[in-house]
Amino acid sequence: MNTMTLWNITGWEFAALAFAALLVGFSKTAVSGANTVSLAIFAAVLPARASTGVLLPVLIAGDLLAVATYRRHAHWPTLWRLFPAVAAGVVVGTVFLMWADDAIVRTSIGAILLLMAGVTVWRRRTADAEEEPDSLTSRAGRVKARSYGVLGGFTTMVANAGGPVMSMYLLSAGFRKLGFLGTSAFFFLIVNVSKLPFSAGLGLIDGRSLLLDLALVVFVVPGALFGKWAVHKINQRLFEQLVIAATIVGGLQLLLR
């Protein structure tokens, strides 16, 4: 019995999932946050809660390719500041998933993404100069890291939608393209792998979901290769605009679905 029969999906629906997997690869090596479109496609084709379990291993495959591509550009002090708050957010997200239905999850995440995009646009319009990553050692920087970390952990656990939240944090911290992509690559690889036991415990990952993942991960590779090529064609300003636009689109999709 093949994966399409197991999930009762049509050829067109599998094609949509394959495109979403390709987009995951592209987002991991080019425009972080663009995979919110993948999240929406997976949730439209598969049962909403089950879709998060199927998507997680696909995201991890993209994370591995991103780490292989940008591993030399990661800013580890930023990562160490974020991880404790993210861990707290993942725990809160796990508890939230135990009682929240799909409508509450979608509305909550969509509102958070739009709020983060609005705050980032406002900060960048009013700032006299861009912050450097090391400036986040200030008290205000630590508070911001904890706030975004909790939100990132929460959103990545409940809907695999932590990318836009962390994108807004890294943009607000003044990261350039390669530092942005290298830092986010390691961040999401570590966070997504840590989510596996939580997702399995909630019944979101099982043998059937992993079988479908095996059929989809091959599409992540061409997306990542295209992203690696495309990112060098995008200037910094356009890169930031694309990340913010992807965040807004993802938030609106979740609110309007």
Side-chain angles (χ1 to χ4, degrees), residues 28 56 59-60 63 79 82-87 89-91 149 151-157 160-163 166 183-199:
K28 294 295 184 179
L56 182 56
L59 293 173
I60 292 173
D63 293 328
L79 291 171
L82 285 169
F83 284 140
V86 172
V90 168
V91 172
L151 283 175
F154 176 81
T155 53
T156 195
M157 186 63 224
N160 289 316
M166 298 318 300
T183 303
S184 62
F186 273 102
F187 175 84
F188 282 108
L189 176 61
I190 294 169
V191 170
N192 284 332
V193 169
S194 72
K195 285 162 50 183
L196 286 172
F198 292 94
S199 295

Side-chain angles (χ1 to χ4, degrees), residues 159-214:
N160 289 316
V165 174
M166 298 318 300
S167 294
M168 295 300 96
Y169 173 71
L170 294 176
L171 284 184
S172 71
F175 277 85
R176 309 297 290 177
K177 275 191 303 184
L178 295 181
F180 178 108
L181 291 167
T183 303
S184 62
F186 273 102
F187 175 84
F188 282 108
L189 176 61
I190 294 169
V191 170
N192 284 332
V193 169
S194 72
K195 285 162 50 183
L196 286 172
F198 292 94
S199 295
L202 290 168
L204 302 177
I205 294 178
D206 56 21
R208 188 171 66 156
S209 70
L210 291 174
L211 188 60
L212 181 56
D213 286 322
L214 285 175

Side-chain angles (χ1 to χ4, degrees), residues 86-148:
V86 172
V90 168
V91 172
V92 173
T94 302
V95 174
F96 182 72
L97 278 174
M98 291 179 179
W99 66 269
D101 60 24
D102 289 340
I104 292 175
V105 170
R106 285 196 301 269
T107 301
S108 300
I109 302 301
I112 289 171
L113 296 186
L114 292 178
L115 175 62
M116 292 300 99
V119 169
T120 299
V121 170
W122 177 78
R123 284 179 59 87
R124 296 189 73 79
R125 285 181 178 275
T126 57
D128 293 327
E130 289 186 345
E131 296 173 290
E132 295 296 328
D134 286 337
S135 71
L136 298 178
T137 55
S138 66
R139 178 182 176 86
R142 289 193 297 270
V143 170
K144 182 167 71 172
R146 290 166 186 162
S147 300
Y148 275 86

